[in-house]
Amino acid sequence: ILGGRDAPRRPYMASLQLNGQHLCGGFLIADEWVLSAAHCLEDAGNGTFAVLLGARSLSLPEPHKRLYGVRQLVAHPGSHRDTNHDDLLLVQLEEAASLNPDVQKLAFQRQGRDVPEGTLCEVAGWGITRNTGKRPDVLQYVELGVIGRAKCNQRIHHDGEVTEKMMCADSKKKDSCKGDSGGPFVCNGVAEAVVSTGSRVCGNWKKPGIYTRTAPYAGWIDSVLANATS
Ligand SMILES: CC(C)CC(=O)Nc1cccc(-c2cccc(CN)c2)c1
């Protein structure tokens, strides 16, 4: 997160870790399921994934911090390493998360209407806080204004790349960045979208952040959760 600050408790936040190191954000949507971004699998090789819940600090001991093994990873079938389409990943935990004040589920938007331009939303994550690559220990968050799709698709911005299954937010100074992928874009207490890598540029007003809307994918999410075994 660029231009943010230490976050207050965000009990739905997950750190998707690869070989013991933070890789991407995510959030708890069901007792044993975390929603994240498919691009987070692209550099995985045959490493070991795990999900950290109940954390604010990645390093310090905290009352409800707990690392969960991963039972399965389900990338959206339409996701590709070289596009932003369908950039969603469902992560099944080895066991149901134990819920407590620091570990809670977050509802995601299921209704298809766009969030109005200018709405102030929030994004949190342990992604880099400077383009030099500085990584935070404590969860960061920032408030970002929604940018309308028509404006976001102008040539100077994303030049027609933003589909109706995506949305955009301000990126002038404050922005999501590397390592924030998969985290929730929260408006009025509901996850409206998931951080997508987008143009891999951070903090440049010409390249608004691109976020994968959840509503178009509610059916896919429900079907994966319904067909999985525990
Ligand atoms: C998905 C990982 C395995 C690789 C990765 O994260 N790359 C990468 C590199 C530079 C910027 C970004 C990035 C992320 C989220 C939002 C934005 C822009 N708002 C950029 C992402």
Side-chain angles (χ1 to χ4, degrees), residues 23 39-40 43 175-179 181 195-197 200-202 209:
L23 176 69
H39 276 291
C40 298
D43 303 335
D175 195 4
S176 48
C177 198
K178 183 174 172 60
S181 302
V195 179
S196 185
T197 307
R200 292 183 185 250
V201 166
C202 309

Side-chain angles (χ1 to χ4, degrees), residues 85-144:
H85 297 300
D86 304 332
D87 187 16
L88 293 180
L89 172 70
L90 281 164
V91 184
Q92 185 179 24
L93 308 179
E94 278 285 337
E95 61 180 285
S98 166
L99 302 184
N100 58 69
D102 294 318
V103 180
Q104 290 292 315
K105 292 177 277 189
L106 176 65
F108 60 87
Q109 183 58 259
R110 293 171 169 273
Q111 293 173 29
R113 272 189 308 281
D114 275 329
V115 180
E117 176 157 35
T119 304
L120 261 187
C121 302
E122 166 194 307
V123 64
W126 288 277
I128 61 176
T129 55
R130 305 181 70 85
N131 273 312
T132 57
K134 180 172 176 16
R135 289 178 295 153
D137 181 60
V138 173
L139 182 67
Q140 301 292 294
Y141 85 119
V142 72
E143 287 205 328
L144 299 172

Side-chain angles (χ1 to χ4, degrees), residues 11 33 51 57 74 94 116 127 135 147-148 166 173-174 200 224:
W33 291 92
V51 172
S57 163
V74 184
E94 278 285 337
R135 289 178 295 153
I147 293 178
M166 304 168 190
K173 293 202 182 65
K174 299 177 179 182
R200 292 183 185 250
V224 170

